[in-house]
């Protein structure tokens, strides 16, 4: 659970350097993670997909590439981030709050959210909204960071709290924003805790796939 005003301000400040910074900090692995999400979604042969918290549109772009016949809508509550997404030529981008979506019930065949649920003001409310706007039988797919198991967790936490904010601060001039992001990863549920949250919010048959030793994970639940 996060303060939406702080999150909006933080992302507005780093919007212009967000994509480059992500690729540098992850050594480009985040691109492969998004392709994995897009591949999962493509397996459901959707005609329409909502990419929530689309940010700079990287995941929406990957989904559109993997499902070329699908209508892909990107939504984010931060207009400056959507300006970055527009530069990719994504045709449908809208301002929307993930905890209070204006879309009708059963509007989409699938929904994705990459590194965005963690920054929303209420995770259960957001997941229930995701389930509501996805047609029965469609997937809700969440990609986000997690904390790996020892011994990797020792090195990862050192990177997360010491190296990442410093490097990102140099690249964006906004070290505080990345200090927030580091802390948010620690607080975010992962593994079985996230699957329980999915079930509590009405998403069934949930499973997760750890990525890169557990520093990130994909969670899938069915509406």
């Amino acid at each position: 659970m996060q303060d939406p005003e702080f999150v909006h301000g933080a992302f507005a400040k780093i919007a212009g350097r967000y994509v480059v910074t992500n690729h540098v900090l992850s050594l480009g692995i985040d691109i492969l993670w998004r392709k994995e999400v897009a591949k999962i979604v493509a397996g459901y042969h959707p005609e329409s997909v909502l990419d929530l918290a689309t940010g700079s549109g990287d995941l929406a772009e990957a989904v559109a590439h993997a499902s070329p016949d699908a209508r892909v809508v990107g939504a984010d509550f931060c207009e400056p981030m959507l300006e970055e997404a527009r530069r990719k030529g994504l045709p449908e981008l809208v301002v929307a709050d993930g905890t209070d979506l204006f879309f009708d019930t059963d509007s989409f065949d699938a929904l994705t959210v990459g590194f965005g649920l963690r920054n929303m003001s209420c995770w259960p409310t957001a997941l229930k909204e995701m389930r509501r706007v996805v047609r029965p039988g469609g997937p809700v797919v969440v990609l986000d960071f997690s904390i790996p198991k020892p011994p990797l967790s020792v090195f990862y936490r050192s990177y997360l709290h010491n190296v990442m904010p410093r490097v990102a601060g140099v690249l964006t001039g906004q070290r505080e924003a990345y200090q927030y992001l580091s802390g948010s990863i620690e607080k975010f549920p992962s593994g079985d805790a996230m699957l329980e949250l999915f079930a509590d919010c009405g998403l069934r048959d949930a499973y997760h796939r750890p990525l890169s030793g557990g520093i990130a994970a994909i969670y899938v639940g069915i509406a």
Side-chain angles (χ1 to χ4, degrees), residues 16-67:
R17 300 289 295 171
Y18 181 75
V19 175
V20 172
T21 303
N22 278 357
H23 295 341
V24 170
L25 292 173
S26 71
L27 303 179
I29 300 173
D30 62 308
I31 297 172
L32 301 179
W33 296 341
R34 290 184 179 91
K35 286 184 177 180
E36 283 299 308
V37 171
K39 187 186 301 184
I40 290 171
V41 172
Y44 289 85
H45 308 289
E47 294 183 4
S48 60
V49 182
L50 174 63
D51 183 46
L52 189 57
T54 196
S56 55
D58 285 25
L59 183 51
E61 188 176 42
V63 169
H65 185 267
S67 302

Short mmCIF file of all heavy atoms in Angstrom, two decimals, residues 16-67:
data_model
loop_
_atom_site.label_atom_id
_atom_site.label_comp_id
_atom_site.label_asym_id
_atom_site.label_seq_id
_atom_site.Cartn_x
_atom_site.Cartn_y
_atom_site.Cartn_z
N GLY A 16 11.22 10.73 -17.92
CA GLY A 16 12.06 10.86 -19.09
C GLY A 16 13.25 9.92 -19.13
O GLY A 16 13.78 9.62 -20.21
N ARG A 17 13.69 9.45 -17.96
CA ARG A 17 14.86 8.56 -17.89
C ARG A 17 14.50 7.18 -17.37
O ARG A 17 15.38 6.35 -17.13
CB ARG A 17 15.91 9.18 -16.95
CG ARG A 17 16.41 10.53 -17.37
CD ARG A 17 17.29 10.45 -18.61
NE ARG A 17 18.52 9.72 -18.34
CZ ARG A 17 19.39 9.35 -19.28
NH1 ARG A 17 19.13 9.61 -20.54
NH2 ARG A 17 20.49 8.69 -18.96
N TYR A 18 13.20 6.89 -17.23
CA TYR A 18 12.75 5.67 -16.59
C TYR A 18 13.19 4.42 -17.35
O TYR A 18 13.73 3.48 -16.77
CB TYR A 18 11.23 5.70 -16.45
CG TYR A 18 10.63 4.50 -15.77
CD1 TYR A 18 10.74 4.32 -14.39
CD2 TYR A 18 9.95 3.53 -16.51
CE1 TYR A 18 10.19 3.22 -13.77
CE2 TYR A 18 9.40 2.42 -15.89
CZ TYR A 18 9.52 2.26 -14.53
OH TYR A 18 8.98 1.16 -13.92
N VAL A 19 12.97 4.40 -18.66
CA VAL A 19 13.26 3.21 -19.44
C VAL A 19 14.75 2.91 -19.45
O VAL A 19 15.17 1.78 -19.18
CB VAL A 19 12.74 3.38 -20.89
CG1 VAL A 19 13.15 2.18 -21.74
CG2 VAL A 19 11.23 3.52 -20.91
N VAL A 20 15.55 3.91 -19.77
CA VAL A 20 17.00 3.72 -19.82
C VAL A 20 17.52 3.24 -18.47
O VAL A 20 18.35 2.32 -18.38
CB VAL A 20 17.71 5.01 -20.25
CG1 VAL A 20 19.22 4.87 -20.10
CG2 VAL A 20 17.35 5.36 -21.68
N THR A 21 17.04 3.87 -17.41
CA THR A 21 17.50 3.51 -16.06
C THR A 21 17.14 2.07 -15.73
O THR A 21 17.97 1.32 -15.17
CB THR A 21 16.88 4.46 -15.01
OG1 THR A 21 17.23 5.80 -15.35
CG2 THR A 21 17.41 4.14 -13.62
N ASN A 22 15.94 1.63 -16.07
CA ASN A 22 15.53 0.25 -15.82
C ASN A 22 16.45 -0.74 -16.52
O ASN A 22 16.87 -1.75 -15.95
CB ASN A 22 14.09 0.03 -16.29
CG ASN A 22 13.08 0.51 -15.27
OD1 ASN A 22 13.44 0.96 -14.19
ND2 ASN A 22 11.82 0.43 -15.61
N HIS A 23 16.75 -0.44 -17.78
CA HIS A 23 17.59 -1.36 -18.55
C HIS A 23 19.00 -1.43 -17.97
O HIS A 23 19.61 -2.50 -17.92
CB HIS A 23 17.64 -0.92 -20.02
CG HIS A 23 16.32 -1.02 -20.72
ND1 HIS A 23 15.28 -1.79 -20.25
CD2 HIS A 23 15.88 -0.45 -21.88
CE1 HIS A 23 14.24 -1.69 -21.08
NE2 HIS A 23 14.59 -0.88 -22.07
N VAL A 24 19.51 -0.29 -17.53
CA VAL A 24 20.85 -0.27 -16.93
C VAL A 24 20.87 -1.05 -15.62
O VAL A 24 21.75 -1.88 -15.38
CB VAL A 24 21.33 1.18 -16.70
CG1 VAL A 24 22.60 1.21 -15.85
CG2 VAL A 24 21.57 1.88 -18.03
N LEU A 25 19.89 -0.79 -14.77
CA LEU A 25 19.86 -1.41 -13.44
C LEU A 25 19.65 -2.92 -13.51
O LEU A 25 20.13 -3.66 -12.65
CB LEU A 25 18.77 -0.78 -12.59
CG LEU A 25 18.99 0.68 -12.18
CD1 LEU A 25 17.77 1.24 -11.49
CD2 LEU A 25 20.22 0.81 -11.28
N SER A 26 18.92 -3.38 -14.53
CA SER A 26 18.64 -4.82 -14.65
C SER A 26 19.56 -5.51 -15.65
O SER A 26 19.40 -6.70 -15.92
CB SER A 26 17.19 -5.04 -15.08
OG SER A 26 17.01 -4.64 -16.43
N LEU A 27 20.49 -4.75 -16.23
CA LEU A 27 21.38 -5.27 -17.27
C LEU A 27 20.59 -5.80 -18.46
O LEU A 27 21.02 -6.73 -19.17
CB LEU A 27 22.29 -6.38 -16.71
CG LEU A 27 23.16 -5.99 -15.51
CD1 LEU A 27 23.98 -7.18 -15.03
CD2 LEU A 27 24.09 -4.83 -15.88
N GLY A 28 19.42 -5.21 -18.68
CA GLY A 28 18.60 -5.58 -19.83
C GLY A 28 17.71 -6.78 -19.61
O GLY A 28 16.92 -7.14 -20.50
N ILE A 29 17.81 -7.42 -18.45
CA ILE A 29 17.03 -8.63 -18.20
C ILE A 29 15.53 -8.33 -18.15
O ILE A 29 14.70 -9.19 -18.45
CB ILE A 29 17.48 -9.32 -16.89
CG1 ILE A 29 18.95 -9.71 -16.99
CG2 ILE A 29 16.65 -10.56 -16.60
CD1 ILE A 29 19.53 -10.24 -15.70
N ASP A 30 15.17 -7.10 -17.77
CA ASP A 30 13.75 -6.75 -17.69
C ASP A 30 13.05 -6.90 -19.03
O ASP A 30 11.85 -7.17 -19.09
CB ASP A 30 13.57 -5.32 -17.16
CG ASP A 30 14.20 -4.29 -18.05
OD1 ASP A 30 15.39 -4.42 -18.40
OD2 ASP A 30 13.50 -3.32 -18.41
N ILE A 31 13.79 -6.75 -20.13
CA ILE A 31 13.21 -6.94 -21.46
C ILE A 31 12.75 -8.39 -21.63
O ILE A 31 11.66 -8.65 -22.15
CB ILE A 31 14.23 -6.56 -22.55
CG1 ILE A 31 14.59 -5.08 -22.44
CG2 ILE A 31 13.69 -6.86 -23.94
CD1 ILE A 31 15.73 -4.65 -23.35
N LEU A 32 13.58 -9.32 -21.19
CA LEU A 32 13.23 -10.74 -21.29
C LEU A 32 12.05 -11.09 -20.40
O LEU A 32 11.19 -11.90 -20.77
CB LEU A 32 14.44 -11.61 -20.92
CG LEU A 32 15.70 -11.41 -21.77
CD1 LEU A 32 16.82 -12.31 -21.27
CD2 LEU A 32 15.40 -11.70 -23.23
N TRP A 33 11.99 -10.47 -19.21
CA TRP A 33 10.86 -10.73 -18.31
C TRP A 33 9.54 -10.31 -18.97
O TRP A 33 8.55 -11.03 -18.90
CB TRP A 33 11.05 -9.96 -17.01
CG TRP A 33 12.23 -10.36 -16.18
CD1 TRP A 33 12.93 -11.54 -16.27
CD2 TRP A 33 12.83 -9.60 -15.14
NE1 TRP A 33 13.94 -11.55 -15.34
CE2 TRP A 33 13.91 -10.37 -14.63
CE3 TRP A 33 12.59 -8.35 -14.58
CZ2 TRP A 33 14.72 -9.92 -13.59
CZ3 TRP A 33 13.40 -7.90 -13.54
CH2 TRP A 33 14.44 -8.67 -13.06
N ARG A 34 9.54 -9.17 -19.61
CA ARG A 34 8.32 -8.69 -20.27
C ARG A 34 7.92 -9.61 -21.42
O ARG A 34 6.74 -9.83 -21.67
CB ARG A 34 8.50 -7.25 -20.74
CG ARG A 34 8.58 -6.24 -19.60
CD ARG A 34 8.67 -4.82 -20.13
NE ARG A 34 8.72 -3.84 -19.05
CZ ARG A 34 9.84 -3.40 -18.49
NH1 ARG A 34 11.03 -3.85 -18.93
NH2 ARG A 34 9.81 -2.52 -17.51
N LYS A 35 8.90 -10.12 -22.13
CA LYS A 35 8.60 -11.05 -23.22
C LYS A 35 7.95 -12.32 -22.69
O LYS A 35 7.08 -12.90 -23.34
CB LYS A 35 9.87 -11.39 -23.99
CG LYS A 35 10.37 -10.26 -24.89
CD LYS A 35 11.59 -10.68 -25.69
CE LYS A 35 12.03 -9.56 -26.63
NZ LYS A 35 13.24 -9.96 -27.42
N GLU A 36 8.37 -12.77 -21.50
CA GLU A 36 7.76 -13.95 -20.88
C GLU A 36 6.29 -13.69 -20.56
O GLU A 36 5.43 -14.55 -20.78
CB GLU A 36 8.52 -14.34 -19.62
CG GLU A 36 9.83 -15.06 -19.89
CD GLU A 36 9.63 -16.36 -20.65
OE1 GLU A 36 8.79 -17.19 -20.22
OE2 GLU A 36 10.29 -16.55 -21.68
N VAL A 37 5.99 -12.51 -20.02
CA VAL A 37 4.60 -12.14 -19.74
C VAL A 37 3.79 -12.13 -21.04
O VAL A 37 2.68 -12.67 -21.11
CB VAL A 37 4.53 -10.76 -19.06
CG1 VAL A 37 3.08 -10.28 -18.98
CG2 VAL A 37 5.14 -10.82 -17.67
N ALA A 38 4.35 -11.51 -22.07
CA ALA A 38 3.65 -11.41 -23.35
C ALA A 38 3.37 -12.79 -23.93
O ALA A 38 2.30 -13.03 -24.52
CB ALA A 38 4.47 -10.57 -24.32
N LYS A 39 4.31 -13.72 -23.74
CA LYS A 39 4.14 -15.07 -24.25
C LYS A 39 3.00 -15.79 -23.52
O LYS A 39 2.20 -16.51 -24.14
CB LYS A 39 5.44 -15.86 -24.08
CG LYS A 39 5.44 -17.23 -24.72
CD LYS A 39 6.71 -18.00 -24.38
CE LYS A 39 7.96 -17.27 -24.84
NZ LYS A 39 9.19 -18.08 -24.58
N ILE A 40 2.93 -15.58 -22.20
CA ILE A 40 1.84 -16.19 -21.42
C ILE A 40 0.49 -15.67 -21.90
O ILE A 40 -0.46 -16.43 -22.13
CB ILE A 40 2.02 -15.90 -19.93
CG1 ILE A 40 3.23 -16.68 -19.39
CG2 ILE A 40 0.76 -16.26 -19.13
CD1 ILE A 40 3.63 -16.30 -17.97
N VAL A 41 0.39 -14.36 -22.06
CA VAL A 41 -0.87 -13.76 -22.51
C VAL A 41 -1.24 -14.25 -23.90
O VAL A 41 -2.41 -14.57 -24.18
CB VAL A 41 -0.75 -12.22 -22.50
CG1 VAL A 41 -1.97 -11.58 -23.15
CG2 VAL A 41 -0.59 -11.72 -21.07
N ALA A 42 -0.28 -14.34 -24.80
CA ALA A 42 -0.55 -14.78 -26.17
C ALA A 42 -1.13 -16.19 -26.20
O ALA A 42 -1.92 -16.52 -27.09
CB ALA A 42 0.73 -14.72 -26.99
N GLY A 43 -0.78 -17.00 -25.21
CA GLY A 43 -1.30 -18.36 -25.13
C GLY A 43 -2.80 -18.43 -24.92
O GLY A 43 -3.42 -19.47 -25.18
N TYR A 44 -3.39 -17.33 -24.47
CA TYR A 44 -4.84 -17.27 -24.28
C TYR A 44 -5.56 -16.71 -25.51
O TYR A 44 -6.79 -16.58 -25.50
CB TYR A 44 -5.18 -16.42 -23.05
CG TYR A 44 -4.83 -17.08 -21.74
CD1 TYR A 44 -3.54 -17.00 -21.21
CD2 TYR A 44 -5.78 -17.82 -21.04
CE1 TYR A 44 -3.21 -17.61 -20.01
CE2 TYR A 44 -5.46 -18.44 -19.83
CZ TYR A 44 -4.17 -18.32 -19.33
OH TYR A 44 -3.85 -18.95 -18.13
N HIS A 45 -4.82 -16.34 -26.53
CA HIS A 45 -5.37 -15.81 -27.79
C HIS A 45 -6.37 -14.67 -27.54
O HIS A 45 -7.51 -14.72 -28.01
CB HIS A 45 -6.04 -16.93 -28.59
CG HIS A 45 -5.14 -18.13 -28.79
ND1 HIS A 45 -4.04 -18.10 -29.61
CD2 HIS A 45 -5.18 -19.37 -28.22
CE1 HIS A 45 -3.44 -19.29 -29.57
NE2 HIS A 45 -4.11 -20.08 -28.74
N PRO A 46 -5.96 -13.64 -26.82
CA PRO A 46 -6.91 -12.56 -26.49
C PRO A 46 -7.20 -11.66 -27.69
O PRO A 46 -6.36 -11.45 -28.56
CB PRO A 46 -6.14 -11.78 -25.42
CG PRO A 46 -4.70 -11.94 -25.82
CD PRO A 46 -4.59 -13.36 -26.33
N GLU A 47 -8.41 -11.13 -27.68
CA GLU A 47 -8.76 -10.10 -28.67
C GLU A 47 -8.55 -8.71 -28.10
O GLU A 47 -8.42 -7.74 -28.84
CB GLU A 47 -10.22 -10.28 -29.11
CG GLU A 47 -10.48 -11.56 -29.87
CD GLU A 47 -11.92 -11.67 -30.35
OE1 GLU A 47 -12.69 -10.70 -30.14
OE2 GLU A 47 -12.27 -12.72 -30.92
N SER A 48 -8.50 -8.61 -26.77
CA SER A 48 -8.28 -7.32 -26.12
C SER A 48 -7.51 -7.53 -24.83
O SER A 48 -7.74 -8.50 -24.10
CB SER A 48 -9.61 -6.63 -25.82
OG SER A 48 -10.42 -7.43 -24.96
N VAL A 49 -6.56 -6.62 -24.58
CA VAL A 49 -5.70 -6.71 -23.39
C VAL A 49 -5.58 -5.31 -22.78
O VAL A 49 -5.34 -4.34 -23.50
CB VAL A 49 -4.28 -7.23 -23.73
CG1 VAL A 49 -3.45 -7.35 -22.46
CG2 VAL A 49 -4.36 -8.56 -24.47
N LEU A 50 -5.73 -5.23 -21.47
CA LEU A 50 -5.47 -4.00 -20.74
C LEU A 50 -4.12 -4.14 -20.06
O LEU A 50 -3.91 -5.05 -19.26
CB LEU A 50 -6.55 -3.73 -19.70
CG LEU A 50 -6.30 -2.53 -18.77
CD1 LEU A 50 -6.25 -1.22 -19.56
CD2 LEU A 50 -7.36 -2.44 -17.66
N ASP A 51 -3.19 -3.23 -20.38
CA ASP A 51 -1.92 -3.18 -19.66
C ASP A 51 -2.02 -2.04 -18.65
O ASP A 51 -1.94 -0.87 -19.01
CB ASP A 51 -0.76 -2.94 -20.62
CG ASP A 51 0.58 -2.94 -19.89
OD1 ASP A 51 0.79 -3.84 -19.06
OD2 ASP A 51 1.41 -2.03 -20.13
N LEU A 52 -2.22 -2.42 -17.41
CA LEU A 52 -2.45 -1.45 -16.34
C LEU A 52 -1.11 -0.99 -15.75
O LEU A 52 -0.16 -1.77 -15.70
CB LEU A 52 -3.32 -2.08 -15.26
CG LEU A 52 -3.85 -1.19 -14.16
CD1 LEU A 52 -4.68 -0.04 -14.71
CD2 LEU A 52 -4.71 -2.03 -13.19
N ALA A 53 -1.06 0.27 -15.31
CA ALA A 53 0.19 0.87 -14.86
C ALA A 53 1.23 0.73 -15.97
O ALA A 53 2.38 0.35 -15.73
CB ALA A 53 0.67 0.23 -13.56
N THR A 54 0.81 1.05 -17.17
CA THR A 54 1.63 0.82 -18.36
C THR A 54 2.92 1.63 -18.35
O THR A 54 3.90 1.27 -19.00
CB THR A 54 0.81 1.11 -19.63
OG1 THR A 54 1.47 0.54 -20.76
CG2 THR A 54 0.61 2.60 -19.85
N GLY A 55 2.93 2.75 -17.62
CA GLY A 55 4.15 3.55 -17.54
C GLY A 55 4.62 4.00 -18.90
O GLY A 55 3.88 4.63 -19.65
N SER A 56 5.84 3.64 -19.25
CA SER A 56 6.41 4.04 -20.53
C SER A 56 6.00 3.11 -21.66
O SER A 56 6.47 3.28 -22.80
CB SER A 56 7.94 4.09 -20.42
OG SER A 56 8.43 2.85 -19.95
N GLY A 57 5.13 2.15 -21.39
CA GLY A 57 4.55 1.33 -22.44
C GLY A 57 5.37 0.13 -22.86
O GLY A 57 5.02 -0.54 -23.84
N ASP A 58 6.44 -0.21 -22.14
CA ASP A 58 7.29 -1.33 -22.55
C ASP A 58 6.55 -2.66 -22.57
O ASP A 58 6.70 -3.44 -23.52
CB ASP A 58 8.49 -1.43 -21.61
CG ASP A 58 9.53 -0.37 -21.87
OD1 ASP A 58 9.17 0.69 -22.40
OD2 ASP A 58 10.71 -0.59 -21.54
N LEU A 59 5.76 -2.93 -21.53
CA LEU A 59 5.04 -4.20 -21.49
C LEU A 59 3.91 -4.21 -22.51
O LEU A 59 3.68 -5.23 -23.18
CB LEU A 59 4.49 -4.47 -20.09
CG LEU A 59 3.77 -5.80 -19.89
CD1 LEU A 59 4.61 -6.97 -20.37
CD2 LEU A 59 3.38 -5.99 -18.43
N ALA A 60 3.20 -3.11 -22.67
CA ALA A 60 2.14 -3.03 -23.68
C ALA A 60 2.70 -3.30 -25.07
O ALA A 60 2.08 -3.98 -25.89
CB ALA A 60 1.46 -1.67 -23.63
N GLU A 61 3.88 -2.77 -25.33
CA GLU A 61 4.53 -2.97 -26.62
C GLU A 61 4.88 -4.44 -26.83
O GLU A 61 4.67 -5.00 -27.92
CB GLU A 61 5.79 -2.11 -26.69
CG GLU A 61 6.45 -2.08 -28.04
CD GLU A 61 7.64 -1.13 -28.06
OE1 GLU A 61 8.42 -1.12 -27.08
OE2 GLU A 61 7.79 -0.40 -29.05
N ALA A 62 5.38 -5.09 -25.77
CA ALA A 62 5.72 -6.51 -25.87
C ALA A 62 4.47 -7.37 -26.09
O ALA A 62 4.48 -8.31 -26.89
CB ALA A 62 6.45 -6.96 -24.60
N VAL A 63 3.39 -7.03 -25.40
CA VAL A 63 2.13 -7.76 -25.55
C VAL A 63 1.58 -7.59 -26.97
O VAL A 63 1.14 -8.55 -27.60
CB VAL A 63 1.10 -7.29 -24.51
CG1 VAL A 63 -0.29 -7.84 -24.82
CG2 VAL A 63 1.53 -7.71 -23.11
N ALA A 64 1.64 -6.38 -27.48
CA ALA A 64 1.14 -6.11 -28.83
C ALA A 64 1.95 -6.88 -29.87
O ALA A 64 1.41 -7.37 -30.87
CB ALA A 64 1.19 -4.62 -29.11
N HIS A 65 3.24 -7.01 -29.64
CA HIS A 65 4.10 -7.73 -30.57
C HIS A 65 3.78 -9.23 -30.55
O HIS A 65 3.77 -9.89 -31.60
CB HIS A 65 5.56 -7.49 -30.23
CG HIS A 65 6.52 -8.10 -31.20
ND1 HIS A 65 7.06 -9.36 -31.03
CD2 HIS A 65 7.03 -7.64 -32.38
CE1 HIS A 65 7.86 -9.65 -32.04
NE2 HIS A 65 7.87 -8.62 -32.87
N ALA A 66 3.53 -9.77 -29.35
CA ALA A 66 3.26 -11.21 -29.23
C ALA A 66 1.84 -11.56 -29.64
O ALA A 66 1.57 -12.71 -30.03
CB ALA A 66 3.50 -11.65 -27.78
N SER A 67 0.91 -10.61 -29.54
CA SER A 67 -0.50 -10.82 -29.92
C SER A 67 -0.89 -9.73 -30.91
O SER A 67 -1.64 -8.82 -30.58
CB SER A 67 -1.40 -10.77 -28.68
OG SER A 67 -1.01 -11.75 -27.72
#
